[in-house]
Amino acid sequence: MNVLLAHNSGLGDYILMNGAVRYLSSLDEIESIVYLCQSTPNKFRHIVRMYGDIDKIQLIEERQGRGFSSQRRKIRIWKNRFPNHIGRAFSWNAAFWEPSMEIRGLDPNKNCWPELFYSVFGAPYSARHEYFHIHRDLKRESELARSLKLPREYVFCVDQGNRPRFNLMPPTDLPVVKPHNYPTLLHEYDIFDWMGVISGASMVYTIDTAWMHLIKSMRLNVPKFYYHMRGDHLKNVFTSLYINDEYDNGWEIVDKHGTILS
């Protein structure tokens, strides 16, 4: 069986789906995977790094459509180019999530959109953690850490993403390291090169962005705080496994001041 994969085009989506893609590549019945990646050049280099070790995955770099309808049109074009591949492909804004969940037997009041995405790919949600893998470059991680001149203890905080940009300060006396305060290093190193800095932090604060999905996949055993700043549909941060699941838990959900929300 051959499959064509595509999904929403944020870097966080690509990191989130890493476990699903790698799970599918591990199945003997799947002979080849065409993975349509609507992205920017910077985003695509991250995707290449995630799957460079898997021969059966063919990455297709496609300029990202301006909106969801444009992205779905590109998906249809590529489906026609691979008529012998089973399509497990979508590009959905939030309006599509609830009816798509109901079709697949998921409860919009209890389940979260990552479970929906994994369901469409035909992968168990547990694969998000069980099959997650990034080839780490420890040399680059060490170089980055030295460039930052990190103290022995520090807090790692992400308060900026592609669209949401805040100026948040965790309630701590420890030094706070924010990656977006180092634009030169952000350009020189990719997000995965920051994994050493992230894993060395005494605690982590993050908004909902690609960094959060990477941090969640790293399953850190330190205090972790999620800034509840976005009210996207079907986020269900309190009632679903979007933030805390059996593989990665212990997250506290906080407001912009760092106050824990019940």
Side-chain angles (χ1 to χ4, degrees):
M1 177 171 65
N2 304 313
V3 296
L4 183 145
L5 304 178
H7 55 72
N8 290 27
S9 59
L11 180 57
D13 297 294
Y14 284 106
I15 294 173
L16 165 72
M17 299 303 289
N18 174 281
V21 175
R22 296 187 75 93
Y23 166 80
L24 293 175
S25 73
S26 74
L27 300 179
D28 291 337
E29 60 265 31
I30 294 183
E31 299 177 9
S32 68
I33 295 172
V34 171
Y35 192 8
L36 174 60
C37 304
Q38 297 193 51
S39 63
T40 62
N42 178 60
K43 195 180 300 179
F44 190 69
R45 71 186 175 104
H46 287 82
I47 301 168
V48 170
R49 181 166 172 179
M50 283 196 278
Y51 304 109
D53 60 320
I54 304 178
D55 293 336
K56 71 164 62 175
I57 297 179
Q58 177 185 354
L59 299 177
I60 302 294
E61 182 179 12
E62 173 68 69
R63 185 173 180 177
Q64 185 173 316
R66 294 196 175 199
F68 287 103
S69 60
S70 174
Q71 291 171 25
R72 288 193 290 271
R73 184 163 55 251
K74 288 174 179 281
I75 289 173
R76 289 193 294 270
I77 291 172
W78 281 98
K79 278 184 176 180
N80 290 333
R81 293 178 182 175
F82 290 91
N84 297 323
H85 285 60
I86 296 173
R88 297 180 183 178
F90 60 92
S91 180
W92 292 335
N93 57 7
F96 283 81
W97 294 353
E98 185 166 346
S100 299
M101 277 186 166
E102 293 173 344
I103 290 172
R104 289 166 177 81
L106 297 172
D107 185 344
N109 296 312
K110 296 179 180 178
N111 298 112
C112 57
W113 61 268
E115 291 176 280
L116 170 63
F117 285 15
Y118 268 66
S119 176
V120 175
F121 266 31
Y125 187 72
S126 59
R128 175 179 185 178
H129 297 292
E130 293 176 350
Y131 285 83
F132 176 80
H133 176 74
I134 300 294
H135 175 70
R136 295 179 62 170
D137 188 330
L138 299 183
K139 181 180 178 181
R140 286 180 62 81
E141 289 183 21
S142 296
E143 290 173 350
L144 174 58
R146 286 195 298 271
S147 297
L148 290 168
K149 297 180 173 59
L150 296 171
R152 186 172 64 85
E153 291 187 278
Y154 57 91
V155 174
F156 187 80
C157 176
V158 179
D159 60 0
Q160 294 188 39
N162 184 34
R163 284 175 295 176
R165 296 176 181 269
F166 305 97
N167 184 21
L168 305 172
M169 184 52 63
T172 177
D173 293 328
L174 293 175
V176 177
V177 175
K178 296 184 178 183
H180 289 86
N181 285 346
Y182 304 91
T184 301
L185 294 177
L186 280 177
H187 176 75
E188 183 177 353
Y189 295 91
D190 65 40
I191 192 173
F192 303 128
D193 293 326
W194 288 79
M195 292 174 74
V197 176
I198 295 169
S199 61
S202 299
M203 63 181 72
V204 172
Y205 283 77
T206 182
I207 62 171
D208 194 330
T209 185
W211 295 86
M212 186 275 286
H213 289 292
L214 176 60
I215 293 166
K216 183 165 180 61
S217 295
M218 292 173 66
R219 298 159 65 182
L220 302 175
N221 187 26
V222 297
K224 297 170 289 191
F225 300 89
Y226 170 84
Y227 282 117
H228 189 32
M229 305 292 292
R230 297 172 62 183
D232 291 354
H233 190 48
L234 297 180
K235 191 64 66 65
N236 299 337
V237 296
F238 296 102
T239 61
S240 76
L241 48 68
Y242 185 71
I243 301 301
N244 287 300
D245 58 42
E246 64 175 303
Y247 293 88
D248 176 62
N249 49 57
W251 286 84
E252 296 283 5
I253 301 171
V254 299
D255 63 14
K256 64 181 180 180
H257 304 292
T259 302
I260 296 175
L261 303 172
S262 58

